[in-house]
Amino acid sequence: MGWEELRSECMKCRRCALAETRTNVVFGDGVKTAKVMFVGEGPGENEDLTGLPFVGRGGQLLTDMLSLIDLDRSKNFYIANIVKCRPPQNRDPSHSEEEACIGWLRRQIELVSPKIIICLGRIAASVLIDTDFKITREHGKFYEKDGIVYTAIYHPAALLRDPRRRPETFEDLKAIQAEIKRLCPETYEEKSRF
Ligand code: URA
């Protein structure tokens, strides 16, 4: 499935009960040819209302943090979630919801073909890196699987709840920037307009 068919099929998805309560499917956003990809857990209220990932308060914090390492979703990364529909009351997605939904993300990953995937929070890391992922101990570490480097940072909502975690997240982001420069330096090359 190419991008267009994938998107239109995903928008109609009724593979789990989250379809009953969603306003919008939150497919993903950003540059489809980027070498850097971010993955969160699932839409919150603002994302459900707009159909775009990470546009609420946590999303704004993420946008601000990533701008410090010259990452911008309109220029050099793609962002999506493990589940595409909002879990009611922002509860964690269930394993069966993750399983029903993960095929969409797997195909997005194939199409983007990133060199590095940064998981936002424990849930994304537990699906993409290791089922027993411990975010407090394992954030900022790099793992390689099938030619893709994976890492995880604290979820922006966790950084809003506990700002004491921000300095270590900034250290993780600096290490991620160095890794991006090593793996795919073109991420940081300004495209000449002429
Ligand atoms: N939290 C997530 O994990 N994803 C979003 O898109 C928004 C908030």
Short mmCIF file of all heavy atoms in Angstrom, two decimals, residues 26 40-44 47 52-54 81 155, ligand 1:
data_model
loop_
_atom_site.label_atom_id
_atom_site.label_comp_id
_atom_site.label_asym_id
_atom_site.label_seq_id
_atom_site.Cartn_x
_atom_site.Cartn_y
_atom_site.Cartn_z
N VAL A 26 -6.02 10.15 13.83
CA VAL A 26 -4.80 10.97 13.77
C VAL A 26 -3.73 10.13 13.08
O VAL A 26 -3.06 9.31 13.70
CB VAL A 26 -4.38 11.42 15.19
CG1 VAL A 26 -3.10 12.24 15.13
CG2 VAL A 26 -5.51 12.20 15.85
N GLY A 40 4.71 8.60 19.21
CA GLY A 40 4.06 8.76 20.52
C GLY A 40 3.10 7.62 20.77
O GLY A 40 3.06 6.64 20.02
N GLU A 41 2.29 7.76 21.85
CA GLU A 41 1.43 6.62 22.18
C GLU A 41 0.07 6.70 21.52
O GLU A 41 -0.40 5.73 20.94
CB GLU A 41 1.33 6.42 23.69
CG GLU A 41 0.51 7.43 24.44
CD GLU A 41 0.54 7.19 25.94
OE1 GLU A 41 1.63 7.19 26.53
OE2 GLU A 41 -0.54 7.02 26.52
N GLY A 42 -0.58 7.86 21.59
CA GLY A 42 -1.91 7.95 21.02
C GLY A 42 -2.43 9.36 21.19
O GLY A 42 -1.94 10.11 22.03
N PRO A 43 -3.42 9.74 20.39
CA PRO A 43 -3.93 11.11 20.43
C PRO A 43 -4.57 11.47 21.77
O PRO A 43 -5.16 10.61 22.43
CB PRO A 43 -5.00 11.12 19.33
CG PRO A 43 -4.82 9.86 18.54
CD PRO A 43 -4.09 8.90 19.40
N GLY A 44 -4.43 12.73 22.15
CA GLY A 44 -5.18 13.30 23.27
C GLY A 44 -6.35 14.10 22.72
O GLY A 44 -6.71 13.97 21.53
N GLU A 47 -5.59 16.52 19.71
CA GLU A 47 -5.25 15.76 18.51
C GLU A 47 -6.51 15.13 17.93
O GLU A 47 -6.72 15.13 16.71
CB GLU A 47 -4.22 14.67 18.87
CG GLU A 47 -2.85 15.21 19.28
CD GLU A 47 -2.78 15.80 20.68
OE1 GLU A 47 -3.66 15.46 21.51
OE2 GLU A 47 -1.86 16.60 20.96
N LEU A 52 -4.44 16.01 14.07
CA LEU A 52 -2.98 16.13 13.94
C LEU A 52 -2.30 15.69 15.24
O LEU A 52 -2.79 15.99 16.33
CB LEU A 52 -2.59 17.58 13.65
CG LEU A 52 -2.97 18.08 12.26
CD1 LEU A 52 -2.81 19.60 12.18
CD2 LEU A 52 -2.12 17.39 11.19
N PRO A 53 -1.14 14.99 15.12
CA PRO A 53 -0.45 14.52 16.32
C PRO A 53 0.28 15.65 17.06
O PRO A 53 0.77 16.60 16.43
CB PRO A 53 0.57 13.51 15.78
CG PRO A 53 0.82 13.91 14.38
CD PRO A 53 -0.46 14.55 13.88
N PHE A 54 0.31 15.55 18.37
CA PHE A 54 1.11 16.46 19.20
C PHE A 54 0.87 17.94 18.90
O PHE A 54 1.78 18.67 18.51
CB PHE A 54 2.61 16.11 19.10
CG PHE A 54 2.95 14.84 19.83
CD1 PHE A 54 3.07 13.63 19.16
CD2 PHE A 54 3.11 14.83 21.21
CE1 PHE A 54 3.35 12.45 19.84
CE2 PHE A 54 3.40 13.65 21.90
CZ PHE A 54 3.52 12.47 21.20
N ASN A 81 1.73 8.07 15.86
CA ASN A 81 1.47 7.42 17.13
C ASN A 81 1.28 5.92 16.97
O ASN A 81 0.99 5.43 15.88
CB ASN A 81 0.18 7.99 17.75
CG ASN A 81 0.38 9.37 18.36
OD1 ASN A 81 1.22 9.56 19.23
ND2 ASN A 81 -0.40 10.34 17.89
N HIS A 155 8.04 11.11 27.68
CA HIS A 155 6.91 11.69 26.96
C HIS A 155 6.75 13.16 27.39
O HIS A 155 6.92 13.48 28.56
CB HIS A 155 5.64 10.89 27.32
CG HIS A 155 4.49 11.18 26.42
ND1 HIS A 155 3.77 12.35 26.53
CD2 HIS A 155 3.96 10.49 25.39
CE1 HIS A 155 2.83 12.34 25.58
NE2 HIS A 155 2.92 11.23 24.89
N1 URA B 1 0.38 12.26 23.21
C1 URA B 1 0.76 11.32 22.32
O1 URA B 1 1.35 10.31 22.66
N2 URA B 1 0.48 11.55 21.04
C2 URA B 1 -0.14 12.66 20.60
O2 URA B 1 -0.35 12.79 19.40
C3 URA B 1 -0.51 13.61 21.57
C4 URA B 1 -0.25 13.39 22.85
#
